[in-house]
Amino acid sequence: MHGFPKRRILTQDESNIQLSEQDGIRALHLGNSMVQSAMRLAAPNDLELIYTRCMMGFMLFHPNPENILMIGLGGGSLAKFVYHRLPRTKTTVIEINPQIVAMARNYFFVPDDDERLQVIIAEGEGYVASHPASADVLMIDGFDDGCQVSSLCSQDFYNRARETLKKKGMLVVNLLSRDKGLQEYLRRIENSFDGHVIVMTAEARGNLIAFAFKQNPAKPAWEELRERAKKLETEFALPFQEYVKKLRRGKIV
C-alpha cells in the first residue's frame, strides 16, 4: 500500500479496481486513491515500491527459501521478483479476488502457473489454517480500502501463520505506520511468535514491515548480517546494507 499523486485512469471495473498509468509507471488501486501495486513498464520484473523491496529483507535471515507462501497478489510485484530472481524457490500466492488475478496477468505480466508459481483464488485465512508446516516464508500484504483485512490480522490468524511455517520459517507482514491498530497488530504478532519479532520502517509515516521468526533467531550478529547484505546487494540490486541499518534502528522484541 502506498500513496501516489493523481494519474490517468486507464480502466476501472465494477468492483472499483482501478488501473492507472503515469510517467512510465502502471499502478493498481483497490477501493480508493491509494496505490496497491506499481510496475515500471521499462523494468516490469523489478520492485518499484519501496515497501516491496523492504519485504525482501527476509533474505538477510533466510536467503534460500524452498517454498514461499504469499497472501495477497495485487499486481504481483513480489511474486514476479521471486519467480525471476530466485529460480529454486516455489511460490504459492493466495488471492481472494479473481478480477485482481486477471488484472495482474493481463496488465502486470504475472506469469502463468507452472511448477514454480501457483496463484490460487481462495481466502487467505482458510488456506493458511489448512496448510501447516508448508512454507519457509509467509508474506502477508492484505488491504481492503486502505485498512488491514481483519481476517489477516487477528490473534488466531497469526497463531495459524506460525503453524503454517516450517521449523526455521519466517513471517513477513506489510503494515501501515499510521494505522490506528498498528500497535495491537504488533502485539498479536509478538504473542504468536514468542516475541521473536523485528520491525523495519520502510518509509517515514508510511509502511512498516514486521519480520517474525518461528524459532528464536538468536541475537543478530550485525557484522555477519552486514557481510551477507553486501553479497545480496551485489546479486539482487536491492539496498540490503540499508536494511541492516533500518533493522538496527527498529524495534527488536
Side-chain angles (χ1 to χ4, degrees), residues 209-244:
I209 311 303
F211 301 94
F213 303 81
K214 186 167 186 177
Q215 286 188 335
N216 190 345
K219 193 172 182 178
W222 296 111
E223 188 57 41
E224 182 180 336
L225 283 181
R226 281 194 292 267
E227 289 303 313
R228 189 177 299 162
K230 290 178 184 178
K231 295 177 182 178
L232 288 169
E233 196 162 309
T234 299
E235 183 175 358
F236 294 98
L238 293 175
F240 284 96
Q241 294 182 83
E242 180 62 27
Y243 299 162
V244 173

Side-chain angles (χ1 to χ4, degrees), residues 133 135-136 162 165-170 213-216:
D136 296 294
R162 185 180 186 278
L165 292 171
K166 297 179 185 178
K167 188 175 181 180
K168 296 183 179 180
M170 283 184 66
F213 303 81
K214 186 167 186 177
Q215 286 188 335
N216 190 345

Side-chain angles (χ1 to χ4, degrees), residues 1-5 7 22-28 35-56 75-81 108 202-203 207 236-239 243:
M1 219 41 205
H2 193 89
F4 265 112
R7 51 183 65 195
Q22 180 175 310
D23 299 329
I25 297 175
R26 184 171 292 168
L28 183 70
V35 169
Q36 199 280 339
S37 191
M39 175 187 73
R40 187 171 296 275
L41 294 172
N45 298 323
D46 290 352
L47 295 173
E48 181 64 24
L49 298 182
I50 292 175
Y51 90 83
T52 59
R53 300 174 201 162
C54 288
M55 289 183 79
M56 292 304 299
S77 300
L78 286 163
K80 286 189 299 179
F81 187 85
F108 290 88
E203 297 175 275
N207 299 76
F236 294 98
L238 293 175
Y243 299 162

Side-chain angles (χ1 to χ4, degrees), residues 11-210:
T11 184
Q12 179 172 344
D13 71 8
E14 64 277 5
S15 61
N16 206 25
I17 301 172
Q18 290 184 353
L19 184 70
S20 67
E21 205 167 286
Q22 180 175 310
D23 299 329
I25 297 175
R26 184 171 292 168
L28 183 70
H29 313 254
L30 302 181
N32 60 18
S33 61
M34 294 296 291
V35 169
Q36 199 280 339
S37 191
M39 175 187 73
R40 187 171 296 275
L41 294 172
N45 298 323
D46 290 352
L47 295 173
E48 181 64 24
L49 298 182
I50 292 175
Y51 90 83
T52 59
R53 300 174 201 162
C54 288
M55 289 183 79
M56 292 304 299
F58 77 79
M59 296 183 71
L60 288 164
F61 306 94
H62 209 320
N64 298 299
E66 182 180 349
N67 296 95
I68 293 180
L69 174 59
M70 298 181 183
I71 307 299
L73 175 66
S77 300
L78 286 163
K80 286 189 299 179
F81 187 85
V82 171
Y83 184 83
H84 292 287
R85 302 303 299 274
L86 297 174
R88 297 177 183 174
T89 300
K90 295 181 180 179
T91 303
T92 302
V93 186
I94 308 304
E95 172 55 57
I96 196 170
N97 191 333
Q99 292 158 312
I100 290 178
V101 176
M103 281 272 198
R105 290 210 148 120
N106 292 335
Y107 295 99
F108 290 88
F109 313 137
V110 171
D112 292 334
D113 286 0
D114 61 16
E115 69 280 358
R116 292 198 302 110
L117 175 65
Q118 187 176 19
V119 179
I120 299 173
I121 298 172
E123 197 277 322
E125 182 186 24
Y127 188 92
V128 165
S130 60
H131 289 78
S134 62
D136 296 294
V137 179
L138 171 57
M139 307 182 80
I140 310 294
D141 188 12
F143 288 87
D144 182 18
D145 202 18
C147 300
Q148 292 283 326
V149 175
S150 59
S151 64
L152 300 180
C153 58
S154 68
Q155 189 68 72
D156 182 66
F157 174 76
Y158 289 132
N159 290 342
R160 293 182 181 276
R162 185 180 186 278
E163 294 307 311
T164 205
L165 292 171
K166 297 179 185 178
K167 188 175 181 180
K168 296 183 179 180
M170 283 184 66
L171 172 70
V172 184
V173 186
N174 176 35
L175 301 165
L176 287 177
S177 61
R178 61 181 178 274
D179 192 319
K180 292 180 180 179
L182 175 65
Q183 293 306 317
E184 177 62 22
Y185 304 151
L186 290 173
R187 186 188 66 80
R188 293 171 186 171
I189 296 171
E190 292 167 11
N191 286 343
S192 297
F193 285 81
D194 300 321
H196 305 149
V197 182
I198 304 177
V199 300
M200 177 195 296
T201 299
E203 297 175 275
R205 299 180 300 279
N207 299 76
L208 184 82
I209 311 303

